[in-house]
Every structure is written in structure tokens, then in C-alpha cells.
């Protein structure tokens, strides 16, 4: 089983620009992997982020085998 969402706007990107901290945004995006690993039931998958100059943000979760 897999779930995916694609975003053309990002609230975190908007907030970080407003705060003058946009250069830290890719690090925040990386936390998606950490949080998924901590949960243990799924793997986080992504090809693009807006913060890294991608055409969109794609966020996906893929269930780990046996979970």
C-alpha cells in the first residue's frame, strides 16, 4: 500500500521566507524521512521539494513489508 501527495505551494517554505530562514528549509524537509523511520510502519519517499528548486513537493509513504 502506498500514499502520495503533490504540492505546488508549501506553507513551510512561505513561513521560512517570512522569517528570513529559508536556507534552513531543506533541512526541515529532510525531517520527513526521520519521522517516518521513527514510526516504523512506513518508508517516506520523495523525488522533489520546492525548497530544493523542484517543480513541486511530492510526499509519499510506502508500507514496510509485514507491517
Amino acid at each position: 500500500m502506498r500514499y502520495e501527495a503533490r504540492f505546488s505551494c508549501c506553507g513551510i517554505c512561505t513561513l521560512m521566507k517570512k522569517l528570513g530562514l529559508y536556507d534552513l528549509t531543506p533541512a526541515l524537509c529532510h525531517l520527513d524521512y526521520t519521522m517516518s523511520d521513527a514510526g516504523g510502519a512506513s518508508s517516506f519517499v520523495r523525488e522533489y521539494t520546492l525548497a530544493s528548486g523542484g517543480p513541486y513537493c511530492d510526499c509519499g509513504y510506502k508500507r514496510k513489508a509485514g507491517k
Side-chain angles (χ1 to χ4, degrees), residues 21-47:
L21 301 170
Y22 191 74
D23 57 326
L24 299 177
T25 308
L28 291 175
C29 296
H30 189 72
L31 288 174
D32 292 328
Y33 295 96
T34 304
M35 292 187 307
S36 180
D37 287 345
S42 63
S43 296
F44 186 78
V45 292
R46 173 172 26 231
E47 187 173 356

Side-chain angles (χ1 to χ4, degrees), residues 42-64:
S42 63
S43 296
F44 186 78
V45 292
R46 173 172 26 231
E47 187 173 356
Y48 300 109
T49 65
L50 293 169
S52 298
Y56 52 82
C57 286
D58 56 339
C59 303
Y61 293 90
K62 183 177 178 182
R63 186 187 312 193
K64 291 182 179 177

